Amino acid sequence: MEFGRPGMDQGQRQDQGPSEEDNSKMDERRFTDMKRGLSQFTRSAQMMKKNIAKTKTAINKCGVNIPEELSNALNSIDDLVKKINEAKTADELDEVIDNIEDVGSVMQDWGPRMGDLHRLCQMLKQADRDLKQLDRSLVRYQAKNKGKIDISEILADYKSDLENMRQALRQARELAKTEADEALSKIEDDFYGSMDNIRNAEQAINMALNIGQGIRQANAEIKKIDRDIKNLKKKKIDTAQLEELAADFKARVEEIKTMIKGKFDADELIDKVEAAFDIREQIYDAMQEYGLGLMAPKIKENKSLNMQVNL
């Protein structure tokens, strides 16, 4: 009897590794695990496809398209789901796993960015409304450019900025069909980035158109200042500083009157008006020391003419 042979037979069986039956069971377990994991992908992908279909309907109305990368990924979902459902082995699932990962990556990338497509849609609509409003304002300003004050140069700047915004909106609409990110940047940077220039031009136009009322008030204040100075002198009060300020104020008002008789630079007009009002405030402070004050005419407030000058 050979005692060593049974031990050798056991070693040979161990060297042969898992049996065919064991391999089959492992494949079945792997297949089951893969199917379970991919079922989450199937649910998420189908849900996202359904949601994006609704988004597409909404954003297409304002000219925004679903990005090609995302559209291609969504179009492949049904075929991938079909292959997952029809697969009978883990090897068959392995054949589509790379495509599944590619589609999943695109979905993870664009899922959080779908809000940008909605925002682009809303910004395009708002930009269109803003542009129409600015066009109406231009027509109104042109109609008013027939008086004694020439605002042609300010209007030229206004029209130039308006055309730049119109071109930016046109380019953004074209980009919205294929490159949503670039379209959004175009609207934010080039369209609304020019809005400050437009608003400053509007402020300058309104200031020029309403400067007449300011000059009339300044003339009335100058007359009152002269009367007050005369009365103070009668009381033997030193008015040298007040007279110096009054002379400066008169000179600045005259400069503005001369300036608006012809074409003028809007920024220069704003500077001169602000400088004149600075002197006016100094006069007011000086007169307060004498127990006097400038006239406060009762003028009905027109909030539409309120302005903030950004220099």
Coordinates of all heavy atoms in Angstrom, one line a residue, residues 131-212:
L131 N -33.7 95.9 -23.6 CA -33.3 96.6 -24.8 C -34.4 97.4 -25.5 O -34.2 98.5 -26.0 CB -32.7 95.5 -25.8 CG -32.0 96.0 -27.0 CD1 -30.7 96.8 -26.6 CD2 -31.6 94.8 -27.9
K132 N -35.6 96.8 -25.4 CA -36.8 97.5 -26.0 C -37.1 98.8 -25.2 O -37.4 99.8 -25.8 CB -38.0 96.6 -26.0 CG -37.9 95.5 -27.0 CD -39.1 94.5 -26.9 CE -39.0 93.4 -28.0 NZ -40.2 92.5 -27.9
Q133 N -36.9 98.7 -23.9 CA -37.1 99.9 -23.0 C -36.1 101.0 -23.4 O -36.4 102.2 -23.4 CB -37.0 99.5 -21.6 CG -37.1 100.6 -20.6 CD -38.5 101.4 -20.7 OE1 -39.5 100.7 -20.7 NE2 -38.4 102.7 -20.8
L134 N -34.8 100.6 -23.6 CA -33.8 101.5 -23.9 C -34.0 102.1 -25.3 O -33.8 103.3 -25.5 CB -32.4 100.8 -23.9 CG -31.9 100.4 -22.5 CD1 -30.6 99.6 -22.6 CD2 -31.7 101.6 -21.6
D135 N -34.5 101.3 -26.2 CA -34.9 101.9 -27.5 C -36.0 102.9 -27.4 O -35.9 104.0 -28.1 CB -35.4 100.8 -28.5 CG -34.2 100.0 -29.0 OD1 -33.1 100.5 -29.2 OD2 -34.4 98.8 -29.4
R136 N -37.0 102.7 -26.6 CA -38.0 103.7 -26.4 C -37.5 104.9 -25.7 O -37.9 106.1 -26.1 CB -39.1 103.1 -25.5 CG -40.0 102.0 -26.2 CD -41.2 101.7 -25.4 NE -41.0 101.0 -24.2 CZ -40.9 99.7 -24.0 NH1 -41.1 98.9 -25.1 NH2 -40.6 99.1 -22.9
S137 N -36.5 104.8 -24.8 CA -35.9 105.9 -24.2 C -35.1 106.8 -25.2 O -35.2 108.0 -25.2 CB -35.0 105.5 -23.0 OG -35.7 104.9 -22.0
L138 N -34.5 106.1 -26.1 CA -33.7 106.8 -27.1 C -34.6 107.6 -28.0 O -34.3 108.8 -28.3 CB -32.9 105.8 -28.0 CG -32.2 106.3 -29.2 CD1 -31.1 107.3 -28.8 CD2 -31.6 105.2 -30.0
V139 N -35.8 107.1 -28.4 CA -36.7 107.8 -29.2 C -37.2 109.1 -28.4 O -37.3 110.2 -29.0 CB -37.9 106.9 -29.6 CG1 -39.0 107.8 -30.3 CG2 -37.5 105.8 -30.5
R140 N -37.4 108.9 -27.2 CA -37.9 110.0 -26.3 C -36.8 111.1 -26.2 O -37.1 112.3 -26.3 CB -38.3 109.5 -24.9 CG -38.9 110.5 -24.1 CD -39.5 109.9 -22.8 NE -38.5 109.4 -21.9 CZ -38.3 108.1 -21.8 NH1 -39.0 107.2 -22.5 NH2 -37.4 107.6 -21.0
Y141 N -35.6 110.7 -26.0 CA -34.5 111.6 -25.9 C -34.3 112.4 -27.2 O -34.0 113.6 -27.2 CB -33.2 110.9 -25.4 CG -33.2 110.4 -24.0 CD1 -32.6 109.1 -23.7 CD2 -33.8 111.1 -23.0 CE1 -32.7 108.6 -22.5 CE2 -33.9 110.6 -21.7 CZ -33.3 109.3 -21.5 OH -33.3 108.8 -20.2
Q142 N -34.3 111.7 -28.3 CA -34.2 112.3 -29.6 C -35.2 113.3 -29.9 O -34.9 114.4 -30.4 CB -34.2 111.2 -30.7 CG -32.9 110.4 -30.7 CD -33.0 109.2 -31.7 OE1 -34.1 108.7 -32.0 NE2 -31.9 108.9 -32.3
A143 N -36.4 113.0 -29.4 CA -37.5 114.0 -29.6 C -37.3 115.3 -28.8 O -37.7 116.4 -29.2 CB -38.9 113.4 -29.2
K144 N -36.6 115.1 -27.6 CA -36.4 116.3 -26.8 C -35.1 117.1 -27.2 O -34.9 118.2 -26.7 CB -36.2 115.8 -25.3 CG -37.5 115.3 -24.7 CD -37.2 114.9 -23.2 CE -38.5 114.4 -22.6 NZ -38.3 114.1 -21.2
N145 N -34.3 116.5 -28.1 CA -33.1 117.2 -28.5 C -33.4 118.2 -29.6 O -32.8 118.2 -30.7 CB -32.1 116.1 -29.1 CG -30.7 116.7 -29.3 OD1 -30.3 117.6 -28.6 ND2 -30.0 116.2 -30.3
K146 N -34.3 119.1 -29.3 CA -34.7 120.1 -30.3 C -34.8 121.5 -29.6 O -35.3 122.4 -30.2 CB -36.1 119.8 -30.9 CG -36.0 118.5 -31.8 CD -37.4 118.1 -32.3 CE -37.4 116.8 -33.1 NZ -38.7 116.5 -33.6
G147 N -34.4 121.5 -28.3 CA -34.5 122.8 -27.6 C -33.2 123.5 -27.7 O -32.4 123.4 -28.6
K148 N -33.0 124.4 -26.7 CA -31.8 125.3 -26.7 C -30.6 124.5 -26.3 O -29.5 124.9 -26.7 CB -32.0 126.4 -25.7 CG -33.2 127.3 -26.0 CD -33.3 128.4 -25.0 CE -34.5 129.4 -25.3 NZ -34.7 130.4 -24.3
I149 N -30.7 123.4 -25.6 CA -29.6 122.6 -25.2 C -29.3 121.5 -26.1 O -30.2 120.7 -26.4 CB -29.8 122.1 -23.7 CG1 -30.0 123.2 -22.8 CG2 -28.6 121.2 -23.3 CD1 -30.4 122.8 -21.4
D150 N -28.1 121.4 -26.7 CA -27.7 120.4 -27.6 C -27.2 119.2 -26.9 O -26.1 119.3 -26.3 CB -26.7 120.9 -28.6 CG -26.4 120.0 -29.8 OD1 -26.8 118.8 -29.7 OD2 -25.8 120.4 -30.7
I151 N -27.9 118.0 -27.0 CA -27.4 116.8 -26.3 C -26.9 115.8 -27.4 O -26.9 114.6 -27.1 CB -28.5 116.2 -25.4 CG1 -29.7 115.9 -26.2 CG2 -28.7 117.1 -24.2 CD1 -30.8 115.1 -25.4
S152 N -26.5 116.2 -28.5 CA -26.2 115.3 -29.6 C -25.0 114.4 -29.3 O -25.0 113.2 -29.6 CB -25.8 116.1 -30.9 OG -26.9 116.9 -31.3
E153 N -24.0 115.0 -28.6 CA -22.8 114.1 -28.3 C -23.2 113.1 -27.3 O -22.7 111.9 -27.4 CB -21.7 115.0 -27.8 CG -21.1 115.9 -28.9 CD -19.8 116.6 -28.5 OE1 -19.3 116.3 -27.4 OE2 -19.3 117.5 -29.2
I154 N -24.0 113.4 -26.3 CA -24.4 112.4 -25.3 C -25.2 111.4 -25.9 O -25.1 110.2 -25.6 CB -25.2 113.1 -24.1 CG1 -24.5 114.3 -23.6 CG2 -25.3 112.1 -23.0 CD1 -25.2 115.0 -22.5
L155 N -26.1 111.8 -26.8 CA -27.0 110.8 -27.5 C -26.1 109.9 -28.4 O -26.5 108.7 -28.5 CB -28.0 111.5 -28.4 CG -29.3 112.0 -27.7 CD1 -30.2 112.8 -28.7 CD2 -30.0 110.8 -27.1
A156 N -25.1 110.4 -29.0 CA -24.2 109.6 -29.8 C -23.6 108.4 -29.0 O -23.5 107.3 -29.4 CB -23.1 110.4 -30.5
D157 N -23.1 108.8 -27.8 CA -22.5 107.8 -26.9 C -23.6 106.8 -26.5 O -23.3 105.6 -26.4 CB -21.9 108.4 -25.6 CG -20.7 109.3 -26.0 OD1 -20.1 109.0 -27.0 OD2 -20.3 110.2 -25.2
Y158 N -24.8 107.3 -26.2 CA -25.9 106.4 -25.8 C -26.2 105.4 -26.9 O -26.3 104.2 -26.6 CB -27.1 107.3 -25.5 CG -28.3 106.6 -24.9 CD1 -28.5 106.5 -23.6 CD2 -29.2 106.0 -25.8 CE1 -29.7 105.9 -23.1 CE2 -30.4 105.4 -25.3 CZ -30.6 105.3 -23.9 OH -31.7 104.6 -23.5
K159 N -26.3 105.9 -28.1 CA -26.6 105.0 -29.2 C -25.5 104.0 -29.5 O -25.8 102.9 -29.8 CB -26.9 105.9 -30.5 CG -28.1 106.7 -30.5 CD -28.2 107.7 -31.6 CE -28.4 107.0 -32.9 NZ -28.5 108.0 -34.0
S160 N -24.3 104.4 -29.3 CA -23.1 103.5 -29.5 C -23.2 102.4 -28.5 O -23.0 101.2 -28.8 CB -21.8 104.3 -29.4 OG -20.7 103.4 -29.5
D161 N -23.4 102.7 -27.2 CA -23.5 101.7 -26.2 C -24.7 100.8 -26.4 O -24.6 99.6 -26.2 CB -23.6 102.3 -24.8 CG -22.3 103.0 -24.4 OD1 -21.2 102.5 -24.8 OD2 -22.3 104.0 -23.6
L162 N -25.8 101.4 -26.9 CA -27.0 100.6 -27.2 C -26.8 99.6 -28.3 O -27.2 98.4 -28.2 CB -28.1 101.6 -27.5 CG -29.6 101.0 -27.6 CD1 -29.9 100.3 -26.2 CD2 -30.6 102.1 -27.9
E163 N -26.0 100.0 -29.3 CA -25.7 99.1 -30.4 C -24.8 98.0 -30.0 O -24.9 96.8 -30.4 CB -25.1 99.8 -31.6 CG -26.1 100.7 -32.4 CD -27.4 99.9 -32.8 OE1 -27.2 98.8 -33.4 OE2 -28.5 100.3 -32.5
N164 N -23.9 98.3 -29.1 CA -23.0 97.2 -28.6 C -23.8 96.2 -27.8 O -23.5 95.0 -27.9 CB -21.9 97.9 -27.6 CG -20.9 98.7 -28.4 OD1 -20.7 98.4 -29.6 ND2 -20.2 99.6 -27.8
M165 N -24.8 96.7 -27.0 CA -25.6 95.7 -26.2 C -26.5 94.9 -27.2 O -26.7 93.7 -27.0 CB -26.5 96.5 -25.3 CG -25.7 97.2 -24.2 SD -26.7 98.3 -23.1 CE -27.7 97.1 -22.3
R166 N -27.0 95.5 -28.2 CA -27.8 94.8 -29.2 C -27.0 93.7 -29.9 O -27.5 92.6 -30.1 CB -28.3 95.8 -30.3 CG -29.5 95.3 -31.1 CD -29.9 96.2 -32.2 NE -30.0 97.6 -31.8 CZ -31.0 98.1 -31.1 NH1 -32.0 97.4 -30.8 NH2 -31.0 99.4 -30.7
Q167 N -25.8 94.0 -30.2 CA -24.9 93.0 -30.8 C -24.6 91.9 -29.9 O -24.6 90.7 -30.3 CB -23.6 93.7 -31.3 CG -22.7 92.7 -32.0 CD -21.4 93.4 -32.5 OE1 -21.2 94.6 -32.4 NE2 -20.5 92.6 -33.1
A168 N -24.3 92.2 -28.6 CA -24.0 91.2 -27.6 C -25.2 90.3 -27.4 O -25.1 89.1 -27.3 CB -23.7 91.9 -26.3
L169 N -26.4 90.8 -27.4 CA -27.6 90.0 -27.3 C -27.8 89.1 -28.5 O -28.2 87.9 -28.3 CB -28.9 90.9 -27.1 CG -30.2 90.2 -26.9 CD1 -30.2 89.2 -25.7 CD2 -31.3 91.2 -26.7
R170 N -27.5 89.6 -29.6 CA -27.6 88.8 -30.9 C -26.6 87.7 -30.8 O -27.0 86.5 -31.2 CB -27.4 89.7 -32.1 CG -27.7 89.1 -33.4 CD -27.3 90.0 -34.6 NE -28.1 91.3 -34.5 CZ -27.5 92.4 -34.3 NH1 -26.1 92.5 -34.2 NH2 -28.2 93.5 -34.2
Q171 N -25.4 87.9 -30.4 CA -24.4 86.9 -30.3 C -24.8 85.9 -29.2 O -24.6 84.7 -29.4 CB -23.1 87.5 -30.0 CG -22.5 88.3 -31.1 CD -21.3 89.1 -30.7 OE1 -20.9 89.3 -29.6 NE2 -20.5 89.6 -31.7
A172 N -25.3 86.3 -28.1 CA -25.7 85.4 -27.0 C -26.8 84.5 -27.5 O -26.8 83.3 -27.1 CB -26.2 86.2 -25.8
R173 N -27.8 85.0 -28.3 CA -28.9 84.1 -28.8 C -28.3 83.1 -29.7 O -28.8 81.9 -29.7 CB -29.9 85.0 -29.5 CG -30.7 85.9 -28.6 CD -31.9 86.4 -29.4 NE -32.8 87.2 -28.5 CZ -33.6 86.7 -27.6 NH1 -33.7 85.4 -27.4 NH2 -34.3 87.5 -26.8
E174 N -27.3 83.4 -30.5 CA -26.7 82.4 -31.4 C -25.9 81.4 -30.6 O -26.0 80.2 -30.8 CB -25.8 83.1 -32.4 CG -25.3 82.3 -33.5 CD -26.4 81.8 -34.4 OE1 -27.5 82.5 -34.5 OE2 -26.3 80.7 -35.0
L175 N -25.2 81.8 -29.6 CA -24.4 80.9 -28.7 C -25.3 80.0 -27.9 O -25.0 78.8 -27.6 CB -23.5 81.7 -27.8 CG -22.3 82.3 -28.4 CD1 -21.6 83.3 -27.4 CD2 -21.3 81.3 -28.8
A176 N -26.5 80.5 -27.6 CA -27.5 79.7 -26.7 C -27.9 78.4 -27.4 O -28.3 77.5 -26.8 CB -28.7 80.6 -26.4
K177 N -27.7 78.4 -28.7 CA -28.1 77.2 -29.5 C -27.2 76.0 -29.3 O -27.5 74.9 -29.4 CB -28.3 77.5 -31.0 CG -29.3 78.6 -31.3 CD -29.3 78.9 -32.8 CE -30.3 80.0 -33.1 NZ -30.2 80.4 -34.5
T178 N -25.9 76.4 -29.0 CA -24.9 75.3 -28.9 C -24.0 75.4 -27.7 O -23.5 74.4 -27.2 CB -24.0 75.4 -30.2 OG1 -23.4 76.7 -30.3 CG2 -24.8 75.0 -31.4
E179 N -23.7 76.6 -27.2 CA -22.7 76.8 -26.2 C -23.4 77.7 -25.1 O -23.2 78.9 -25.0 CB -21.5 77.6 -26.7 CG -20.7 76.8 -27.8 CD -20.1 75.5 -27.3 OE1 -19.9 75.4 -26.0 OE2 -19.7 74.7 -28.1
A180 N -24.1 77.0 -24.2 CA -24.9 77.7 -23.1 C -24.0 78.5 -22.2 O -24.3 79.6 -21.8 CB -25.7 76.7 -22.3
D181 N -22.8 77.9 -21.8 CA -21.9 78.6 -20.9 C -21.4 79.9 -21.5 O -21.4 81.0 -20.8 CB -20.7 77.7 -20.5 CG -21.1 76.6 -19.7 OD1 -22.2 76.6 -19.1 OD2 -20.4 75.6 -19.6
E182 N -21.0 79.9 -22.8 CA -20.5 81.1 -23.4 C -21.6 82.1 -23.6 O -21.4 83.3 -23.5 CB -19.9 80.7 -24.8 CG -18.6 79.9 -24.6 CD -17.9 79.7 -26.0 OE1 -18.2 80.5 -26.9 OE2 -17.1 78.8 -26.1
A183 N -22.8 81.7 -23.9 CA -24.0 82.6 -24.0 C -24.2 83.3 -22.7 O -24.5 84.5 -22.7 CB -25.2 81.8 -24.5
L184 N -24.2 82.6 -21.6 CA -24.4 83.2 -20.3 C -23.4 84.2 -20.0 O -23.7 85.3 -19.5 CB -24.4 82.1 -19.2 CG -25.0 82.5 -17.9 CD1 -26.4 82.9 -18.0 CD2 -24.9 81.3 -16.9
S185 N -22.1 83.9 -20.3 CA -21.0 84.9 -20.1 C -21.2 86.1 -21.0 O -21.0 87.3 -20.6 CB -19.7 84.3 -20.4 OG -19.4 83.2 -19.5
K186 N -21.7 85.9 -22.2 CA -21.9 87.0 -23.1 C -23.0 88.0 -22.6 O -22.8 89.2 -22.7 CB -22.3 86.5 -24.5 CG -22.6 87.5 -25.6 CD -21.4 88.3 -26.0 CE -20.4 87.5 -26.7 NZ -19.2 88.3 -27.2
I187 N -24.0 87.4 -22.1 CA -25.1 88.3 -21.5 C -24.6 89.0 -20.3 O -24.9 90.2 -20.1 CB -26.3 87.4 -21.2 CG1 -27.1 87.0 -22.4 CG2 -27.3 88.1 -20.2 CD1 -27.8 88.1 -23.1
E188 N -24.0 88.3 -19.4 CA -23.6 88.9 -18.1 C -22.5 89.9 -18.3 O -22.5 91.0 -17.7 CB -23.1 87.8 -17.1 CG -24.2 86.9 -16.6 CD -23.7 85.8 -15.8 OE1 -22.5 85.4 -15.9 OE2 -24.5 85.3 -14.9
D189 N -21.5 89.6 -19.1 CA -20.3 90.5 -19.3 C -20.5 91.6 -20.3 O -20.2 92.8 -20.0 CB -19.1 89.7 -19.6 CG -18.7 88.7 -18.5 OD1 -19.1 88.9 -17.4 OD2 -18.0 87.7 -18.8
D190 N -20.9 91.2 -21.5 CA -21.0 92.2 -22.6 C -22.3 93.0 -22.7 O -22.3 94.1 -23.0 CB -20.8 91.4 -24.0 CG -19.4 90.8 -24.1 OD1 -18.6 91.1 -23.2 OD2 -19.1 90.1 -25.0
F191 N -23.4 92.3 -22.4 CA -24.7 93.0 -22.4 C -24.9 93.9 -21.1 O -24.9 95.1 -21.2 CB -25.9 92.1 -22.6 CG -27.2 92.7 -22.7 CD1 -27.6 93.1 -24.0 CD2 -28.0 93.0 -21.6 CE1 -28.9 93.8 -24.2 CE2 -29.2 93.7 -21.8 CZ -29.6 94.1 -23.0
Y192 N -25.0 93.2 -20.0 CA -25.2 93.9 -18.8 C -23.9 94.7 -18.3 O -24.0 95.6 -17.5 CB -25.8 93.0 -17.7 CG -27.2 92.7 -17.9 CD1 -27.7 91.5 -18.4 CD2 -28.2 93.7 -17.7 CE1 -29.0 91.3 -18.7 CE2 -29.5 93.5 -18.0 CZ -29.9 92.3 -18.4 OH -31.3 92.0 -18.7
G193 N -22.8 94.2 -18.8 CA -21.6 95.0 -18.5 C -21.6 96.4 -19.1 O -20.8 97.3 -18.6
S194 N -22.4 96.6 -20.1 CA -22.5 97.9 -20.7 C -23.6 98.8 -20.1 O -23.7 100.0 -20.5 CB -22.8 97.8 -22.2 OG -21.7 97.1 -22.9
M195 N -24.4 98.2 -19.2 CA -25.5 98.9 -18.7 C -25.1 100.1 -17.8 O -25.8 101.1 -17.8 CB -26.4 97.9 -17.8 CG -27.7 98.5 -17.4 SD -28.8 98.9 -18.8 CE -29.4 97.3 -19.2
D196 N -24.0 100.0 -17.2 CA -23.5 101.2 -16.4 C -23.3 102.4 -17.3 O -23.6 103.5 -16.9 CB -22.2 100.9 -15.6 CG -22.5 100.0 -14.4 OD1 -23.7 99.9 -14.0 OD2 -21.5 99.4 -13.8
N197 N -22.7 102.1 -18.5 CA -22.4 103.2 -19.4 C -23.7 103.9 -19.9 O -23.9 105.1 -20.0 CB -21.7 102.7 -20.6 CG -20.2 102.3 -20.3 OD1 -19.7 102.8 -19.3 ND2 -19.7 101.4 -21.1
I198 N -24.7 103.0 -20.1 CA -26.0 103.5 -20.6 C -26.7 104.3 -19.5 O -27.2 105.4 -19.7 CB -27.0 102.3 -20.9 CG1 -26.5 101.7 -22.3 CG2 -28.4 102.7 -20.9 CD1 -27.0 102.5 -23.5
R199 N -26.6 103.8 -18.2 CA -27.3 104.5 -17.1 C -26.6 105.9 -16.9 O -27.2 106.9 -16.6 CB -27.2 103.7 -15.9 CG -28.1 102.4 -15.9 CD -29.5 102.7 -16.4 NE -30.3 101.5 -16.4 CZ -31.4 101.3 -17.1 NH1 -31.8 102.3 -17.9 NH2 -32.1 100.2 -17.1
N200 N -25.3 105.9 -17.0 CA -24.5 107.2 -16.8 C -24.9 108.2 -17.9 O -25.0 109.4 -17.7 CB -23.0 106.9 -16.9 CG -22.5 106.3 -15.6 OD1 -23.2 106.4 -14.5 ND2 -21.4 105.6 -15.6
A201 N -25.1 107.7 -19.2 CA -25.5 108.5 -20.3 C -26.9 109.1 -20.0 O -27.2 110.2 -20.3 CB -25.4 107.7 -21.6
E202 N -27.8 108.2 -19.5 CA -29.1 108.7 -19.2 C -29.1 109.8 -18.1 O -29.9 110.7 -18.2 CB -30.0 107.5 -18.8 CG -30.4 106.6 -19.9 CD -31.3 105.5 -19.4 OE1 -31.3 105.1 -18.3 OE2 -32.2 105.1 -20.2
Q203 N -28.3 109.6 -17.1 CA -28.2 110.6 -16.1 C -27.7 111.9 -16.6 O -28.2 113.0 -16.3 CB -27.2 110.1 -15.0 CG -27.8 108.9 -14.2 CD -26.7 108.2 -13.3 OE1 -25.6 108.6 -13.4 NE2 -27.2 107.2 -12.6
A204 N -26.7 111.8 -17.5 CA -26.2 113.1 -18.1 C -27.2 113.7 -19.0 O -27.4 115.0 -19.0 CB -24.9 112.7 -19.0
I205 N -28.0 112.9 -19.8 CA -29.1 113.5 -20.6 C -30.1 114.2 -19.8 O -30.5 115.3 -20.1 CB -29.7 112.4 -21.5 CG1 -28.7 111.9 -22.6 CG2 -31.0 112.9 -22.2 CD1 -29.1 110.6 -23.3
N206 N -30.6 113.5 -18.7 CA -31.6 114.1 -17.8 C -31.1 115.3 -17.2 O -31.8 116.3 -17.0 CB -32.0 113.1 -16.8 CG -32.9 112.0 -17.4 OD1 -33.8 112.3 -18.2 ND2 -32.8 110.8 -16.9
M207 N -29.8 115.3 -16.8 CA -29.2 116.5 -16.2 C -29.2 117.7 -17.1 O -29.6 118.8 -16.8 CB -27.8 116.2 -15.7 CG -27.1 117.5 -15.1 SD -25.5 117.1 -14.5 CE -25.8 116.3 -13.0
A208 N -28.8 117.4 -18.4 CA -28.8 118.4 -19.4 C -30.2 119.0 -19.7 O -30.4 120.2 -19.8 CB -28.1 117.9 -20.7
L209 N -31.2 118.1 -19.8 CA -32.5 118.5 -20.2 C -33.2 119.3 -19.0 O -34.1 120.1 -19.3 CB -33.4 117.2 -20.5 CG -33.0 116.5 -21.8 CD1 -33.8 115.2 -22.0 CD2 -33.2 117.4 -23.0
N210 N -32.7 119.0 -17.8 CA -33.4 119.7 -16.7 C -32.5 120.8 -16.1 O -32.8 121.3 -15.0 CB -33.7 118.6 -15.6 CG -34.8 117.7 -16.1 OD1 -36.0 118.0 -16.1 ND2 -34.4 116.5 -16.5
I211 N -31.4 121.1 -16.7 CA -30.4 122.0 -16.2 C -31.1 123.4 -16.1 O -30.7 124.3 -15.3 CB -29.1 122.1 -17.0 CG1 -28.0 122.8 -16.2 CG2 -29.4 122.7 -18.4 CD1 -27.5 122.0 -15.1
G212 N -32.0 123.7 -17.0 CA -32.6 125.0 -17.1 C -33.3 125.4 -15.7 O -33.2 126.5 -15.2

